Amino acid sequence: MIECRGIHACVGNFSLRDVSFVIPAGAHAVLTGPTASGKTTLLELIAGALTPTGGEIRVSDVDVTFTAPELRSVGLVPQHGYLFPHLNVRQNMEYGASDRSAVSDVARRFGVDHLMDRSVASLSGGERQLVALCRALAPRPTVLLLDEPLSALDVSRRDAALRQFALLQSESALTVLHVTHQETDTAFATVRLEMADGILASVGVTQT
Amino acid sequence: MRVVVGRFTLAHGAAWVLGAALLLFLAVPIILLVVLGAAGIGEALRDHETIAALEMTFGTAAVATVLAALCGSPIAYALSRRSFRGRTLIAAVVDLPLLIPHPVAGIAILLLISRNTTFGSALLDLGLRVVGTPAGIVAAMLFVSAPLYISAAREAFARVDRRYEFVARTLGDTPWAAFRRVTLPLSRRGLASATIVTWARAVSEFGAVVVLAYNPKVVSVLSYDRFTTGGLRDALPIAATLVLVSLVPLIALRALRYDRSNEAVS
């Protein structure tokens, strides 16, 4: 579960104002909105990269507003993946995982198990995104934040990845907040959020 | 009126001439020094005083470099990553030694550590004599070379996108673990380059060292000593040796920079 209560934040000249919403445990929420509307800022606040100037952030019913990122159990797939270039694919995926079988499991689910010994530099854009997804999933976070994680994938691989998310969520209480510009990515969404110019313009439940 | 010969303008020609003149001015004295001093290098390397000076130079420069890296890395990291009150002041303090003449730097250190000062007498009470000892040489080298380390290390850390560190934090790393596992490996070439520059600067230091410790002699002081007592002929072999030694870090730096051109950090 992710809950934001009256979040305010400033990043340079940009400000996020009075953002409040609740995403129930196990839900797949999509966050849409124009460029520079505050979507990435909101993810960074929930992940702990930024501290809000006001309001409260709760993850799994715990106030994490001022909690260090490593203690939040929040996984993050940033927009460009940010795979560690000095580590190979396996080392990237095992980076935060305490259980290596979890790494093998997510690698198999997302079809990247054949890439394990490759260097990061040799991967295509889509492969990088899938490896970044697996790296974030391997530590088994309770919340996963995705910042346009499937943008470099072709339609069939994107659909396959979304189906894997749906499957993962049916097996666990993983809560997903997914920033996207792709309408097709909303197929499995149960909550829809829309940002506009630093405020939450709309919240809707699309499925139950 | 613009004089054009093909695509080569008069301005191009002037730029080439001025640039070539400066290059010649930089290179010719050093080439002359090595060529004229080369014949005596073998003899210089059999001279016990020269060998002792070389050992003293390399040893003290190594200690100064290690101290600069240990104490300077946290400062460089903080300056590259954090916004905090006093940041500008700290950056100015770090740059200050680069702006003052090195003998003046030596005098300034002397004011801090001479036996007449509280700090200096406290060091003596602890059995640590600084003036006229290898510790004094290290202090002088550290003072003039640490700012170079901090500046280069700061640049090396700044080249690593901070999002890598943040991703590591979301994967369970503490700030120290993220630094050790991500930032440090990604900035290693820049830090190695900073270390080499620092060591090379320490090796070549004269002004501050000569104030704090004329003896035991480092190579730069020995070559000056030979010059004042025996003239150019006596100083040449040692000076040529020092120039050849300086080529080692220069080559290492070039190799690192060539390597870095293929590196994608951010």
Side-chain angles (χ1 to χ4, degrees), chain A residues 4-51:
Chain A
C4 288
R5 293 180 187 166
I7 292 297
H8 290 260
C10 287
V11 182
N13 294 327
F14 177 78
S15 63
L16 208 67
R17 301 178 305 282
D18 197 23
V19 174
S20 299
F21 61 85
V22 178
I23 302 170
H28 187 128
V30 290
L31 176 58
T32 57
T35 301
S37 57
K39 304 184 296 294
T40 298
T41 302
L42 183 59
L43 292 197
E44 289 180 343
L45 284 161
I46 297 167
L50 302 172
T51 305

Coordinates of all heavy atoms in Angstrom, one line a residue, chain A residues 4-51:
Chain A
C4 N -0.1 8.8 0.1 CA 0.4 10.2 0.2 C -0.6 11.1 0.7 O -1.8 11.1 0.2 CB 0.9 10.6 -1.2 SG 2.3 9.8 -1.8
R5 N -0.2 11.9 1.8 CA -1.2 12.8 2.4 C -0.7 14.2 2.3 O 0.3 14.6 2.9 CB -1.4 12.5 3.8 CG -2.1 11.1 4.1 CD -2.2 11.0 5.6 NE -2.7 9.6 6.0 CZ -2.7 9.1 7.2 NH1 -2.1 9.8 8.2 NH2 -3.2 7.9 7.4
G6 N -1.3 15.0 1.4 CA -0.9 16.4 1.3 C 0.5 16.7 1.1 O 1.1 17.6 1.7
I7 N 1.1 16.0 0.1 CA 2.6 16.1 -0.2 C 2.9 17.4 -0.9 O 2.2 17.8 -1.9 CB 3.1 14.9 -1.0 CG1 3.0 13.6 -0.2 CG2 4.5 15.2 -1.5 CD1 3.9 13.6 1.0
H8 N 3.8 18.1 -0.4 CA 4.4 19.3 -1.0 C 5.9 19.1 -1.2 O 6.5 18.5 -0.3 CB 4.2 20.6 -0.2 CG 2.7 21.0 -0.1 ND1 2.2 22.0 -0.9 CD2 1.7 20.5 0.7 CE1 0.9 22.2 -0.6 NE2 0.6 21.3 0.3
A9 N 6.4 19.5 -2.3 CA 7.9 19.4 -2.5 C 8.3 20.4 -3.5 O 7.5 20.8 -4.4 CB 8.2 18.0 -3.0
C10 N 9.6 20.9 -3.4 CA 10.2 21.8 -4.3 C 11.4 21.2 -4.9 O 12.3 20.7 -4.2 CB 10.5 23.1 -3.6 SG 9.1 24.1 -3.2
V11 N 11.6 21.2 -6.2 CA 12.8 20.8 -6.9 C 13.2 22.0 -7.9 O 12.5 22.1 -8.9 CB 12.6 19.5 -7.6 CG1 14.0 19.1 -8.3 CG2 12.1 18.4 -6.7
G12 N 14.1 22.8 -7.5 CA 14.5 23.9 -8.3 C 13.3 24.9 -8.4 O 12.7 25.2 -7.3
N13 N 12.9 25.2 -9.6 CA 11.7 26.1 -9.7 C 10.4 25.3 -9.8 O 9.3 25.9 -9.8 CB 11.8 26.9 -11.1 CG 13.0 27.8 -11.0 OD1 13.3 28.4 -9.9 ND2 13.6 28.0 -12.2
F14 N 10.5 24.0 -9.8 CA 9.3 23.2 -9.9 C 8.7 22.9 -8.5 O 9.5 22.6 -7.6 CB 9.6 21.9 -10.6 CG 8.4 21.0 -10.7 CD1 7.4 21.2 -11.7 CD2 8.3 19.9 -9.9 CE1 6.3 20.4 -11.7 CE2 7.2 19.0 -10.0 CZ 6.2 19.3 -10.9
S15 N 7.4 22.9 -8.3 CA 6.9 22.5 -7.0 C 5.7 21.5 -7.2 O 4.9 21.6 -8.2 CB 6.4 23.7 -6.3 OG 5.4 24.4 -7.0
L16 N 5.7 20.6 -6.3 CA 4.6 19.6 -6.2 C 3.7 20.1 -5.1 O 4.1 20.4 -4.0 CB 5.2 18.2 -5.9 CG 4.5 17.0 -6.4 CD1 4.5 16.9 -7.9 CD2 5.2 15.8 -5.8
R17 N 2.4 20.1 -5.4 CA 1.5 20.8 -4.4 C 0.3 19.9 -4.0 O -0.4 19.4 -4.8 CB 0.9 22.1 -4.9 CG 2.1 23.1 -5.3 CD 1.6 24.4 -5.9 NE 0.7 24.2 -7.1 CZ 1.1 23.9 -8.3 NH1 2.4 23.7 -8.6 NH2 0.3 23.8 -9.3
D18 N 0.2 19.7 -2.7 CA -0.9 19.0 -2.1 C -1.4 17.7 -2.8 O -2.5 17.6 -3.2 CB -2.1 20.0 -2.0 CG -3.2 19.6 -1.0 OD1 -2.8 18.8 -0.1 OD2 -4.3 20.0 -1.2
V19 N -0.4 16.8 -2.9 CA -0.7 15.5 -3.6 C -1.2 14.5 -2.6 O -0.4 14.2 -1.6 CB 0.5 15.0 -4.4 CG1 0.2 13.7 -5.0 CG2 0.9 16.0 -5.5
S20 N -2.4 14.0 -2.8 CA -2.9 13.0 -1.8 C -3.6 11.9 -2.6 O -4.3 12.1 -3.6 CB -4.0 13.6 -0.9 OG -3.4 14.6 -0.1
F21 N -3.2 10.6 -2.3 CA -3.9 9.5 -2.9 C -3.6 8.2 -2.1 O -2.6 8.2 -1.2 CB -3.4 9.3 -4.3 CG -2.0 9.0 -4.5 CD1 -1.4 7.8 -4.4 CD2 -1.1 10.1 -4.8 CE1 -0.1 7.5 -4.5 CE2 0.3 9.9 -4.9 CZ 0.8 8.6 -4.8
V22 N -4.3 7.2 -2.3 CA -4.0 5.9 -1.7 C -4.0 4.8 -2.8 O -5.0 4.8 -3.6 CB -5.1 5.5 -0.6 CG1 -4.8 4.1 0.0 CG2 -5.2 6.6 0.5
I23 N -3.0 4.0 -2.8 CA -3.0 2.8 -3.7 C -3.0 1.6 -2.8 O -2.1 1.4 -2.1 CB -1.7 2.8 -4.6 CG1 -1.6 4.1 -5.4 CG2 -1.7 1.6 -5.5 CD1 -0.3 4.3 -6.1
P24 N -4.1 0.8 -2.9 CA -4.2 -0.3 -2.0 C -3.1 -1.4 -2.3 O -2.5 -1.4 -3.4 CB -5.6 -0.9 -2.4 CG -6.2 0.1 -3.2 CD -5.2 1.0 -3.8
A25 N -2.8 -2.2 -1.3 CA -1.8 -3.2 -1.4 C -2.2 -4.2 -2.6 O -3.4 -4.5 -2.7 CB -1.7 -4.0 -0.1
G26 N -1.2 -4.5 -3.4 CA -1.4 -5.4 -4.5 C -2.0 -4.8 -5.7 O -2.2 -5.4 -6.8
A27 N -2.2 -3.4 -5.7 CA -2.8 -2.8 -6.8 C -1.7 -2.4 -7.8 O -0.5 -2.3 -7.5 CB -3.5 -1.5 -6.4
H28 N -2.1 -2.3 -9.1 CA -1.2 -1.8 -10.2 C -1.7 -0.4 -10.6 O -2.7 -0.3 -11.3 CB -1.2 -2.8 -11.3 CG -0.2 -2.4 -12.4 ND1 0.8 -3.4 -12.8 CD2 0.1 -1.3 -13.0 CE1 1.6 -2.8 -13.7 NE2 1.2 -1.5 -13.9
A29 N -1.0 0.6 -10.2 CA -1.5 2.0 -10.5 C -0.7 2.5 -11.6 O 0.6 2.3 -11.6 CB -1.4 2.9 -9.3
V30 N -1.3 3.2 -12.5 CA -0.5 3.9 -13.6 C -0.7 5.4 -13.3 O -1.7 5.9 -12.9 CB -1.0 3.6 -15.0 CG1 -0.7 2.2 -15.4 CG2 -2.5 3.8 -15.2
L31 N 0.5 6.1 -13.5 CA 0.6 7.5 -13.3 C 0.9 8.1 -14.7 O 1.9 7.8 -15.3 CB 1.6 7.8 -12.3 CG 2.0 9.3 -12.0 CD1 0.8 10.0 -11.5 CD2 3.1 9.3 -10.9
T32 N 0.0 8.9 -15.1 CA 0.2 9.6 -16.5 C 0.2 11.1 -16.3 O -0.1 11.6 -15.2 CB -1.0 9.2 -17.4 OG1 -2.2 9.6 -16.8 CG2 -1.0 7.7 -17.7
G33 N 0.5 11.8 -17.4 CA 0.5 13.2 -17.3 C 1.6 13.7 -18.3 O 2.5 13.0 -18.7
P34 N 1.5 15.0 -18.6 CA 2.5 15.6 -19.6 C 3.9 15.6 -19.0 O 4.0 15.5 -17.8 CB 1.9 17.0 -19.9 CG 0.8 17.2 -18.9 CD 0.5 16.0 -18.2
T35 N 4.8 15.8 -19.9 CA 6.2 15.9 -19.5 C 6.3 17.1 -18.5 O 5.7 18.1 -18.6 CB 7.1 16.2 -20.7 OG1 6.9 15.1 -21.6 CG2 8.6 16.4 -20.3
A36 N 7.2 16.9 -17.4 CA 7.4 17.9 -16.4 C 6.2 18.3 -15.6 O 6.0 19.4 -15.1 CB 8.0 19.2 -17.0
S37 N 5.3 17.3 -15.4 CA 4.1 17.5 -14.6 C 4.3 17.1 -13.2 O 3.5 17.3 -12.3 CB 2.9 16.8 -15.2 OG 3.1 15.4 -15.3
G38 N 5.5 16.4 -12.9 CA 5.8 16.0 -11.5 C 5.7 14.5 -11.3 O 5.8 14.0 -10.1
K39 N 5.6 13.7 -12.3 CA 5.5 12.2 -12.2 C 6.8 11.6 -11.5 O 6.7 10.9 -10.5 CB 5.2 11.5 -13.5 CG 4.0 12.1 -14.2 CD 3.7 11.3 -15.5 CE 4.8 11.4 -16.6 NZ 5.0 12.8 -17.1
T40 N 7.9 12.0 -12.1 CA 9.2 11.4 -11.6 C 9.5 12.0 -10.2 O 10.0 11.2 -9.4 CB 10.3 11.8 -12.6 OG1 10.1 11.1 -13.9 CG2 11.7 11.3 -12.1
T41 N 9.2 13.2 -10.0 CA 9.4 13.8 -8.7 C 8.6 13.0 -7.6 O 9.1 12.7 -6.5 CB 9.0 15.3 -8.7 OG1 9.7 16.0 -9.7 CG2 9.2 16.0 -7.3
L42 N 7.4 12.7 -8.0 CA 6.5 11.9 -7.0 C 7.1 10.6 -6.7 O 7.2 10.2 -5.6 CB 5.1 11.8 -7.6 CG 4.1 11.1 -6.7 CD1 3.9 11.8 -5.4 CD2 2.7 11.0 -7.4
L43 N 7.6 9.9 -7.8 CA 8.3 8.6 -7.5 C 9.5 8.8 -6.6 O 9.8 7.9 -5.7 CB 8.7 8.0 -8.9 CG 7.7 7.5 -9.8 CD1 8.3 6.5 -10.9 CD2 6.5 6.8 -9.1
E44 N 10.3 9.8 -6.9 CA 11.5 10.0 -6.1 C 11.2 10.3 -4.7 O 12.0 10.0 -3.8 CB 12.4 11.1 -6.7 CG 13.0 10.6 -8.0 CD 13.9 11.7 -8.8 OE1 13.7 12.9 -8.4 OE2 14.6 11.3 -9.6
L45 N 10.1 11.0 -4.4 CA 9.6 11.3 -3.0 C 9.3 10.0 -2.3 O 9.6 9.7 -1.2 CB 8.4 12.2 -3.0 CG 8.7 13.7 -3.3 CD1 7.5 14.4 -3.8 CD2 9.3 14.3 -2.1
I46 N 8.5 9.1 -3.0 CA 8.1 7.8 -2.4 C 9.3 6.9 -2.2 O 9.4 6.2 -1.2 CB 7.1 7.1 -3.3 CG1 5.8 8.0 -3.4 CG2 6.7 5.8 -2.7 CD1 4.8 7.6 -4.5
A47 N 10.3 7.0 -3.1 CA 11.5 6.1 -3.0 C 12.5 6.7 -2.0 O 13.3 5.9 -1.5 CB 12.2 6.0 -4.4
G48 N 12.4 8.0 -1.7 CA 13.3 8.5 -0.7 C 14.5 9.3 -1.2 O 15.3 9.7 -0.5
A49 N 14.5 9.6 -2.5 CA 15.5 10.4 -3.1 C 15.3 11.9 -2.7 O 16.3 12.6 -2.6 CB 15.6 10.3 -4.6
L50 N 14.1 12.2 -2.5 CA 13.8 13.6 -2.1 C 12.9 13.6 -0.8 O 12.3 12.6 -0.6 CB 12.9 14.3 -3.2 CG 13.5 14.4 -4.6 CD1 12.5 14.9 -5.6 CD2 14.7 15.3 -4.6
T51 N 13.0 14.6 -0.1 CA 12.2 14.8 1.1 C 11.2 15.8 0.9 O 11.5 16.9 0.4 CB 13.1 15.2 2.3 OG1 14.2 14.2 2.4 CG2 12.3 15.2 3.6

